[in-house]
Short mmCIF file of all heavy atoms in Angstrom, two decimals:
data_model
loop_
_atom_site.label_atom_id
_atom_site.label_comp_id
_atom_site.label_asym_id
_atom_site.label_seq_id
_atom_site.Cartn_x
_atom_site.Cartn_y
_atom_site.Cartn_z
N VAL K 19 6.99 2.20 1.10
CA VAL K 19 7.01 3.65 0.92
C VAL K 19 8.44 4.17 1.02
O VAL K 19 9.28 3.57 1.69
CB VAL K 19 6.14 4.38 1.96
CG1 VAL K 19 4.68 4.04 1.78
CG2 VAL K 19 6.60 4.11 3.37
N GLU K 20 8.68 5.27 0.34
CA GLU K 20 9.97 5.95 0.41
C GLU K 20 9.75 7.40 0.80
O GLU K 20 8.92 8.10 0.22
CB GLU K 20 10.68 5.90 -0.95
CG GLU K 20 11.25 4.56 -1.31
CD GLU K 20 12.13 4.63 -2.54
OE1 GLU K 20 12.14 5.69 -3.21
OE2 GLU K 20 12.79 3.62 -2.84
N LEU K 21 10.50 7.84 1.80
CA LEU K 21 10.43 9.21 2.28
C LEU K 21 11.78 9.86 2.01
O LEU K 21 12.83 9.26 2.27
CB LEU K 21 10.12 9.24 3.78
CG LEU K 21 8.96 8.35 4.26
CD1 LEU K 21 8.78 8.49 5.75
CD2 LEU K 21 7.69 8.67 3.52
N ARG K 22 11.74 11.11 1.56
CA ARG K 22 12.96 11.78 1.12
C ARG K 22 13.30 12.96 2.02
O ARG K 22 12.42 13.66 2.51
CB ARG K 22 12.80 12.27 -0.31
CG ARG K 22 13.97 13.04 -0.89
CD ARG K 22 13.63 13.62 -2.24
NE ARG K 22 14.63 14.58 -2.68
CZ ARG K 22 15.57 14.31 -3.59
NH1 ARG K 22 15.63 13.11 -4.15
NH2 ARG K 22 16.43 15.23 -3.95
N CYS K 23 14.60 13.17 2.20
CA CYS K 23 15.08 14.30 2.99
C CYS K 23 16.25 14.98 2.28
O CYS K 23 17.22 14.32 1.89
CB CYS K 23 15.53 13.83 4.37
SG CYS K 23 16.37 15.10 5.36
N ASP K 24 16.14 16.29 2.12
CA ASP K 24 17.24 17.11 1.61
C ASP K 24 17.79 17.96 2.75
O ASP K 24 17.09 18.87 3.22
CB ASP K 24 16.76 18.04 0.48
CG ASP K 24 16.63 17.34 -0.83
OD1 ASP K 24 17.63 17.26 -1.54
OD2 ASP K 24 15.52 16.87 -1.13
N LEU K 32 23.16 13.80 9.32
CA LEU K 32 21.74 13.71 8.99
C LEU K 32 21.09 12.68 9.89
O LEU K 32 21.67 11.62 10.15
CB LEU K 32 21.56 13.34 7.52
CG LEU K 32 20.13 13.35 6.95
CD1 LEU K 32 20.15 13.77 5.48
CD2 LEU K 32 19.42 12.05 7.14
N TRP K 34 17.22 10.76 11.19
CA TRP K 34 15.78 10.50 11.03
C TRP K 34 15.20 10.20 12.41
O TRP K 34 15.79 9.45 13.21
CB TRP K 34 15.53 9.30 10.12
CG TRP K 34 15.72 9.55 8.66
CD1 TRP K 34 16.82 9.30 7.90
CD2 TRP K 34 14.75 10.10 7.76
NE1 TRP K 34 16.61 9.66 6.59
CE2 TRP K 34 15.34 10.14 6.48
CE3 TRP K 34 13.44 10.54 7.90
CZ2 TRP K 34 14.65 10.62 5.35
CZ3 TRP K 34 12.75 10.99 6.79
CH2 TRP K 34 13.36 11.04 5.53
N ILE K 47 17.86 6.73 12.88
CA ILE K 47 19.14 6.46 12.24
C ILE K 47 19.93 7.76 12.09
O ILE K 47 19.35 8.85 12.04
CB ILE K 47 18.93 5.79 10.86
CG1 ILE K 47 20.24 5.29 10.25
CG2 ILE K 47 18.21 6.74 9.91
CD1 ILE K 47 20.03 4.39 9.04
N PHE K 49 23.46 9.49 10.08
CA PHE K 49 24.54 9.45 9.11
C PHE K 49 25.52 10.58 9.43
O PHE K 49 25.11 11.71 9.66
CB PHE K 49 24.00 9.69 7.70
CG PHE K 49 23.07 8.64 7.19
CD1 PHE K 49 21.70 8.74 7.40
CD2 PHE K 49 23.55 7.55 6.47
CE1 PHE K 49 20.84 7.78 6.91
CE2 PHE K 49 22.69 6.58 5.98
CZ PHE K 49 21.33 6.70 6.20
N SER K 66 14.77 0.81 6.43
CA SER K 66 16.14 1.01 5.98
C SER K 66 16.28 2.44 5.51
O SER K 66 15.28 3.12 5.21
CB SER K 66 16.50 0.03 4.86
OG SER K 66 15.68 0.27 3.73
N ALA K 67 17.52 2.90 5.44
CA ALA K 67 17.76 4.25 4.98
C ALA K 67 19.11 4.29 4.28
O ALA K 67 20.01 3.51 4.61
CB ALA K 67 17.74 5.26 6.13
N GLU K 68 19.21 5.18 3.33
CA GLU K 68 20.48 5.40 2.68
C GLU K 68 20.68 6.89 2.45
O GLU K 68 19.71 7.67 2.46
CB GLU K 68 20.56 4.65 1.36
CG GLU K 68 19.56 5.08 0.30
CD GLU K 68 19.76 4.33 -1.01
OE1 GLU K 68 20.39 3.26 -1.01
OE2 GLU K 68 19.28 4.84 -2.03
N ARG K 69 21.93 7.25 2.27
CA ARG K 69 22.27 8.64 2.01
C ARG K 69 23.24 8.65 0.84
O ARG K 69 24.35 8.12 0.94
CB ARG K 69 22.90 9.30 3.23
CG ARG K 69 23.08 10.79 3.07
CD ARG K 69 23.66 11.42 4.30
NE ARG K 69 23.71 12.88 4.14
CZ ARG K 69 24.38 13.69 4.94
NH1 ARG K 69 25.04 13.20 5.98
NH2 ARG K 69 24.36 14.98 4.72
N THR K 70 22.83 9.22 -0.25
CA THR K 70 23.63 9.19 -1.46
C THR K 70 24.46 10.46 -1.59
O THR K 70 23.95 11.57 -1.39
CB THR K 70 22.72 9.04 -2.69
OG1 THR K 70 21.73 10.08 -2.66
CG2 THR K 70 22.02 7.69 -2.67
N SER K 73 24.50 13.62 0.78
CA SER K 73 23.51 14.68 0.81
C SER K 73 22.12 14.11 1.06
O SER K 73 21.77 13.81 2.19
CB SER K 73 23.56 15.49 -0.47
OG SER K 73 22.61 16.55 -0.43
N VAL K 74 21.37 13.90 -0.01
CA VAL K 74 19.98 13.45 0.09
C VAL K 74 19.89 12.09 0.76
O VAL K 74 20.73 11.21 0.53
CB VAL K 74 19.35 13.40 -1.32
CG1 VAL K 74 17.98 12.75 -1.28
CG2 VAL K 74 19.29 14.80 -1.91
N SER K 75 18.86 11.93 1.58
CA SER K 75 18.63 10.64 2.23
C SER K 75 17.23 10.15 1.93
O SER K 75 16.29 10.95 1.78
CB SER K 75 18.82 10.76 3.74
OG SER K 75 18.53 9.54 4.40
N THR K 76 17.10 8.83 1.84
CA THR K 76 15.79 8.20 1.65
C THR K 76 15.56 7.18 2.75
O THR K 76 16.43 6.33 3.01
CB THR K 76 15.73 7.49 0.28
OG1 THR K 76 15.99 8.44 -0.76
CG2 THR K 76 14.36 6.87 0.07
N LEU K 77 14.43 7.28 3.40
CA LEU K 77 14.01 6.30 4.40
C LEU K 77 12.97 5.42 3.73
O LEU K 77 11.96 5.92 3.21
CB LEU K 77 13.42 6.99 5.62
CG LEU K 77 12.87 6.08 6.73
CD1 LEU K 77 14.00 5.32 7.42
CD2 LEU K 77 12.08 6.89 7.76
N THR K 78 13.20 4.12 3.73
CA THR K 78 12.29 3.17 3.10
C THR K 78 11.66 2.28 4.16
O THR K 78 12.36 1.75 5.03
CB THR K 78 13.04 2.30 2.07
OG1 THR K 78 13.62 3.14 1.07
CG2 THR K 78 12.08 1.32 1.40
N ILE K 79 10.36 2.15 4.06
CA ILE K 79 9.63 1.22 4.93
C ILE K 79 8.96 0.18 4.04
O ILE K 79 8.15 0.52 3.18
CB ILE K 79 8.56 1.94 5.78
CG1 ILE K 79 9.18 3.14 6.51
CG2 ILE K 79 7.95 0.97 6.79
CD1 ILE K 79 8.15 4.00 7.25
#
Side-chain angles (χ1 to χ4, degrees):
Chain K
V19 295
E20 287 189 350
L21 313 180
R22 177 187 168 103
C23 172
D24 281 274
L32 186 147
W34 284 97
I47 189 169
F49 295 90
S66 63
E68 64 177 19
R69 189 178 185 192
T70 54
S73 181
V74 172
S75 177
T76 302
L77 177 69
T78 300
I79 308 173

